[in-house]
Amino acid sequence: MSHCVQILEKDVDSSPTATTNSSSKNGDNGDVVINARAVCRVCKCLYREPKIMQCLHTFCADCVRQLEPFSVSSGVHDGKAVPLEGEPPSAVTVLCPECDSEVDIPLSGVDGLTTDHLALDEVFLETLMSKNSVVCDLCSDGDAEKRCEVCSVNLCEFCIQAHRRQKRTSSHTVQSLEDLKTQGCLSRPVLCSLHPAQELRLFCEPCDLPVCLECAATFHRDHRCLPTRDVIDRHGGRIRDLVTGRLRPRLDQLEESLRKVDLSQETLQTRVDAAVDEVRSFARGYASAVESHCLLLLRRLEELGLQRRSHLHLQRAQLQQALSDTRGGVEFAERLLTCGSDAEILSAKDVTLRRLAVLMETGYNPPPEAVCPDEGSSICFLPQESAGEVAGYPMVGVIHTKTLELSRCTIEGEGLQRGREGQRGEFTLVCRDFAGEQMGRGGEAVLVSMVHKEKKDCRVEAAVVDNNDGSYSVSYTPMEPGPYSVWVCVKALHVKGSPFVLNVRRQVRWHRGMFHCCSFCSSGGSKEARCGCMGTMPGGFQGCGHGHKGHPGKPHWSCCGSTVEASECLPQSVITAVGGTITAVGGTGSPRGHLRTVEL
């Protein structure tokens, strides 16, 4: 039978509670396969030299050697420690193919890993089960028929007789291999790697490893070696205590946690599936509601189109009738005046004048701008506008039918009445319909023109921003003071009140001096300090002082002499009328010496 096998399920449970035999078939030879615990998870073949990793997973020795090192220290080559000159040997680390745990390979290489004898038993049992015959372990000539449970060897019929004739083995229990096949349990003797003919029946306590009789007599001569049956309870008990006392409860706890996770996953999946159904149901309902809303909008458009067409048809009929009546009257009167004699004109004068008077007074004659004020541009679709609910679902998208009425448009904001030189001004134009309601949509052709009324070559650029809700924000920055004429037009027509008058005030003149009682006090007695009030003091003082000539008698600004603290600096004309160039104490300077000349 080929060593390589094909397992029915990739992840066969290899726990002790798993079924011993898992049946599948090899794709090449059709053999019935096999015990999953006899197969290496890497090469998918029966174990050959199975080695136990530190994570307790078993793989073939060759499979372990072929694993790519996860980390390699110096002095390691091909899975074996090769110490460099002057350096201690070090080990290589690989990742377990089963659990991705980091496993350190011993310094002696893969051969230093513990051999998995249980895996070898499984391989032997699988070989027995698949081939239906096993070679005798003693003579290696005949097929084994029975197995000695004490010696753990397979014997042919001849060797069985010899086995029973020997005094030392005559009492051993021998069992048929067919019975063992039925039981599915088989064990092999664990032989010494140094003495293959010797079974490991002793345990060296100082070295903590099983040994054979020859090893105990040679390498472990001075060590205490006891039969394995005498120490198995003690060493096996330690494993049993760890398993039953600690790991088994942890295993149960982990299994319970895993069950809870699986249950949570099932619950989550159930909820997700229910949510998916809800979403799909919602989507179907919403789609149906949107379709209904769409039909309503289309029906509304059809009704609006019919209404507007009827109105235009009526207006056309009235215009055609008025045109026919007027043309008939005009043609008759012109023909009468052109072709009629004096007597004919006088005889038809009364009836002609009456008809012409009727046409002038009662005839249908609307101005051209009043004809077809809406060519359909007022009908538009607003996709973002709320449209209420349809079957409980909120809808957006409405048909807009408002018509612009210039007389109803309004201007909001103070930026159209007053402004300030060099400062940004703003106002808002709100377009409205006949009912005075805001249009609710943009797109109108808005024009704003600003021209200085006194300086015709002075214009201000106005920026218009469409807010897409029927309002338009207008901003501007005038650089010259004075009155401006502001035109606000929509579709080349003035809105109500246009043109407007905008008064732009000059820029605020901030005081550059200080608000003080007098120059003498604010300058700390400096004779050179001057004040905008033009007051002086005797003794060579060029500034003002309390009770002296020119002092206003109250606190005032040193830059212009104004007695109002919250005020602008007096303009140039006022200062010039007082006396040309003045010198004032700086508003932020030190009390002495820090003077500032203000050229006005």
Side-chain angles (χ1 to χ4, degrees):
M1 175 183 176
S2 173
H3 285 289
C4 295
V5 295
Q6 181 180 359
I7 302 176
L8 180 62
E9 295 181 1
K10 181 178 180 181
D11 294 324
V12 179
D13 187 1
S14 58
S15 64
T17 58
T19 304
T20 301
N21 294 320
S22 300
S23 297
S24 67
K25 292 186 178 181
N26 187 297
D28 296 332
N29 51 28
D31 294 335
V32 178
V33 204
I34 68 178
N35 182 3
R37 287 178 289 191
V39 177
C40 175
R41 292 301 185 98
V42 174
C43 63
K44 308 302 180 185
C45 299
L46 292 175
Y47 281 118
R48 288 166 295 179
E49 296 185 71
K51 296 295 182 179
I52 304 175
M53 308 279 275
Q54 295 171 1
C55 56
L56 299 185
H57 289 128
T58 301
F59 306 98
C60 298
D62 290 339
C63 295
V64 177
R65 292 188 184 96
Q66 294 174 5
L67 294 178
E68 184 176 354
F70 179 71
S71 63
V72 181
S73 302
S74 60
V76 177
H77 179 70
D78 292 337
K80 292 186 179 182
V82 180
L84 300 178
E85 185 177 356
E87 293 185 6
S90 55
V92 65
T93 301
V94 298
L95 293 180
C96 173
E98 186 79 14
C99 64
D100 284 339
S101 298
E102 296 184 14
V103 178
D104 294 331
I105 302 299
L107 299 179
S108 57
V110 176
D111 294 335
L113 294 173
T114 303
T115 300
D116 191 347
H117 294 282
L118 292 177
L120 291 175
D121 292 342
E122 298 291 348
V123 171
F124 180 76
L125 178 61
E126 179 57 32
T127 303
L128 177 64
M129 298 288 291
S130 59
K131 289 187 176 182
N132 295 322
S133 63
V134 178
V135 178
C136 177
D137 291 334
L138 295 183
C139 65
S140 301
D141 292 333
D143 293 336
E145 296 182 3
K146 295 186 178 180
R147 180 179 179 82
C148 177
E149 293 186 351
V150 179
C151 300
S152 298
V153 291
N154 303 310
L155 305 173
C156 62
E157 187 62 32
F158 177 79
C159 292
I160 291 173
Q161 300 299 328
H163 201 67
R164 288 176 175 173
R165 283 196 298 268
Q166 295 182 12
K167 182 177 181 181
R168 182 172 60 89
T169 59
S170 59
S171 60
H172 291 185
T173 302
V174 177
Q175 192 170 2
S176 172
L177 290 180
E178 293 297 329
D179 296 339
L180 293 177
K181 289 181 183 181
T182 305
Q183 296 176 7
C185 179
L186 190 63
S187 60
R188 299 170 60 256
V190 180
L191 304 179
C192 179
S193 59
L194 299 178
H195 309 96
Q198 295 289 328
E199 186 178 355
L200 300 179
R201 295 180 177 275
L202 300 177
F203 183 80
C204 178
E205 291 195 336
C207 298
D208 196 29
L209 75 152
V211 295
C212 66
L213 292 175
E214 292 191 20
C215 288
T218 55
F219 304 112
H220 304 270
R221 184 189 318 170
D222 299 330
H223 296 174
R224 184 184 181 189
C225 297
L226 299 176
T228 55
R229 61 177 177 275
D230 295 339
V231 298
I232 187 60
D233 290 340
R234 175 158 49 90
H235 292 281
R238 293 173 57 189
I239 299 176
R240 189 178 298 104
D241 292 342
L242 288 175
V243 171
T244 59
R246 297 187 180 182
L247 293 179
R248 178 57 67 178
R250 178 180 297 183
L251 180 62
D252 296 339
Q253 181 178 346
L254 291 174
E255 290 177 347
E256 177 63 24
S257 300
L258 183 59
R259 281 193 295 269
K260 293 183 65 176
V261 170
D262 292 340
L263 181 61
S264 298
Q265 286 182 336
E266 294 176 0
T267 304
L268 174 63
Q269 188 60 42
T270 301
R271 183 63 197 121
V272 169
D273 293 341
V276 168
D277 294 338
E278 294 173 2
V279 170
R280 289 176 176 170
S281 176
F282 173 80
R284 287 192 295 268
Y286 214 142
S288 176
V290 170
E291 184 65 23
S292 300
H293 182 55
C294 177
L295 295 177
L296 290 175
L297 293 178
L298 296 177
R299 190 178 301 116
R300 173 63 175 160
L301 283 174
E302 185 177 356
E303 293 173 355
L304 288 173
L306 180 61
Q307 292 176 3
R308 299 297 171 89
R309 285 192 295 270
S310 299
H311 176 72
L312 293 175
H313 179 73
L314 176 61
Q315 195 174 45
R316 187 176 188 278
Q318 292 175 336
L319 289 172
Q320 285 180 334
Q321 184 63 45
L323 178 62
S324 176
D325 293 344
T326 304
R327 179 181 288 116
V330 170
E331 289 178 352
F332 179 85
E334 289 178 345
R335 186 169 60 85
L336 178 65
L337 294 174
T338 303
C339 302
S341 62
D342 295 342
E344 291 174 340
I345 294 174
L346 292 175
S347 63
K349 169 182 67 69
D350 291 338
V351 64
T352 302
L353 290 175
R354 284 196 299 269
R355 179 56 180 170
L356 294 179
V358 170
L359 292 176
M360 289 295 297
E361 294 176 2
T362 62
Y364 182 69
N365 185 30
E369 60 270 13
V371 177
C372 300
D374 178 23
E375 309 88 354
S377 60
S378 63
I379 300 178
C380 63
F381 176 60
L382 302 180
Q384 303 299 329
E385 194 76 15
S386 175
E389 293 186 354
V390 175
Y393 296 96
M395 290 288 130
V396 293
V398 296
I399 302 300
H400 187 278
T401 59
K402 294 181 180 180
T403 303
L404 176 67
E405 174 57 37
L406 293 176
S407 63
R408 294 285 188 172
C409 296
T410 58
I411 304 294
E412 299 177 355
E414 297 183 354
L416 194 55
Q417 287 79 34
R418 61 184 66 88
R420 179 74 71 172
E421 176 189 359
Q423 295 183 5
R424 177 187 173 94
E426 296 178 346
F427 64 89
T428 302
L429 167 64
V430 180
C431 295
R432 302 183 184 277
D433 61 2
F434 286 97
E437 296 182 358
Q438 187 168 331
M439 290 294 291
R441 62 177 177 86
E444 303 292 351
V446 177
L447 172 66
V448 178
S449 175
M450 306 180 70
V451 181
H452 201 290
K453 299 184 70 174
E454 298 175 354
K455 301 177 182 178
K456 297 304 181 182
D457 58 344
C458 180
R459 296 176 178 270
V460 177
E461 188 72 22
V464 180
V465 177
D466 189 349
N467 298 322
N468 295 316
D469 60 356
S471 66
Y472 301 82
S473 300
V474 182
S475 60
Y476 62 92
T477 304
M479 304 309 296
E480 292 287 342
Y484 285 80
S485 177
V486 182
W487 290 21
V488 180
C489 303
V490 180
K491 295 182 178 179
L493 298 176
H494 288 277
V495 300
K496 185 178 181 180
S498 177
F500 301 92
V501 177
L502 169 65
N503 292 314
V504 177
R505 299 174 60 189
R506 60 180 173 78
Q507 194 172 13
V508 177
R509 297 177 181 271
W510 302 106
H511 290 285
R512 292 173 291 178
M514 64 170 58
F515 196 71
H516 65 173
C517 59
C518 66
S519 300
F520 181 82
C521 295
S522 62
S523 66
S526 173
K527 289 185 177 183
E528 291 78 12
R530 296 184 181 185
C531 182
C533 68
M534 305 305 292
T536 59
M537 292 176 58
F541 289 92
Q542 300 180 20
C544 64
H546 295 286
H548 293 280
K549 180 182 178 180
H551 190 275
K554 59 180 67 176
H556 55 279
W557 285 99
S558 63
C559 52
C560 64
S562 174
T563 58
V564 181
E565 182 175 7
S567 65
E568 294 185 46
C569 195
L570 292 177
Q572 180 178 358
S573 58
V574 177
I575 300 300
T576 304
V578 176
T581 302
I582 62 174
T583 304
V585 178
T588 59
S590 60
R592 292 182 179 273
H594 184 60
L595 306 179
R596 185 168 53 156
T597 300
V598 182
E599 186 72 30
L600 300 176

